[in-house]
Amino acid sequence: TVEFENGASIDLRVFCARRGPPQRESMASKHKAAIFAKEYLDEHDVQHTLQSMVQHLLRDKPASPFEFMAEFLRKRARQDGGASTPQDAPSVVPKPPPAALVDPRSGEGLAQVWLRANPTVDKALASTRSSLGASLDLCLRASARGKSDAGIVACDADCYKVFHEVFDPVLAALHPDFTSEAHPLK
């Protein structure tokens, strides 16, 4: 109770509630959104374009960096739209092909080699999804740009269980002491 000089008073009550960890559904939907966002950014080569823009910005150090960035993006948009590019357009730094264009089974990672040797498992898992929506292709593509001996990345924890036919032999090859019995999935 807070009492004022004029005799009036106000009763205040404060309630404290502890927030628990985020609900699985909200985490799942956020993870799904992140997967789709990454696919979109890869499809449109946004990350490489921004990296190239920042490299040019730091190299050229223009007096007006925001105008420089806006012009860089306008020139890139004209390139994508098929319009002719002015001679002074910044050159784009050479890049690897977008992950979406890389055949996720063409590499020499352990997963790719194993899948080529076991095509029936590959075919059986083709339409399978983790609880958060990740496919085997997405797990394979996620490693396509990196230098991974495994050749596969678990896009979410459920991938280890859903795609265990691929992850178990890859993990066993990388870690000789690995057994799925010693590391059970919940």
Side-chain angles (χ1 to χ4, degrees):
T1 301
V2 177
E3 295 186 17
F4 296 95
E5 293 176 3
N6 66 1
S9 64
I10 298 177
D11 286 332
L12 298 174
R13 294 183 187 167
V14 177
F15 296 94
C16 294
R18 182 173 177 203
R19 294 183 120 186
Q23 296 296 320
R24 181 158 175 83
E25 291 82 20
S26 66
M27 287 176 62
S29 64
K30 286 179 185 177
H31 189 74
K32 239 183 227 184
I35 288 172
F36 291 125
K38 182 178 179 350
E39 286 178 346
Y40 175 82
L41 294 174
D42 286 348
E43 177 184 344
H44 295 285
D45 197 30
V46 173
Q47 181 177 350
H48 179 263
T49 299
L50 293 177
Q51 286 174 331
S52 182
M53 179 181 68
V54 171
Q55 288 173 352
H56 283 86
L57 179 72
L58 294 174
R59 182 193 68 200
D60 298 347
K61 295 181 181 69
S64 179
F66 295 106
E67 285 181 26
F68 176 89
M69 291 187 295
E71 183 60 23
F72 185 96
L73 292 173
R74 275 193 292 277
K75 289 174 183 175
R76 175 60 199 265
R78 284 193 293 266
Q79 288 174 348
D80 285 351
S84 61
T85 305
Q87 289 293 75
D88 63 338
S91 61
V92 176
V93 176
K95 61 175 179 154
L101 299 179
V102 174
D103 177 4
R105 286 159 182 76
S106 66
E108 292 304 316
L110 294 171
Q112 287 80 6
V113 171
W114 191 89
L115 285 167
R116 284 194 294 272
N118 297 278
T120 54
V121 173
D122 190 14
K123 187 173 181 174
L125 295 174
S127 61
T128 305
R129 298 280 185 271
S130 72
S131 61
L132 298 179
S135 65
L136 180 59
D137 270 8
L138 186 60
C139 293
L140 295 167
R141 274 193 314 227
S143 73
R145 287 190 180 211
K147 302 280 187 212
S148 167
D149 290 337
I152 190 166
V153 172
C155 295
D156 60 63
D158 193 36
C159 290
Y160 289 110
K161 186 181 343 178
V162 174
F163 306 119
H164 71 90
E165 293 100 335
V166 180
F167 277 102
D168 285 357
V170 168
L171 289 169
L174 291 171
H175 307 282
D177 294 334
F178 172 83
T179 63
S180 54
E181 294 79 27
H183 300 281
L185 298 167
K186 296 178 182 177

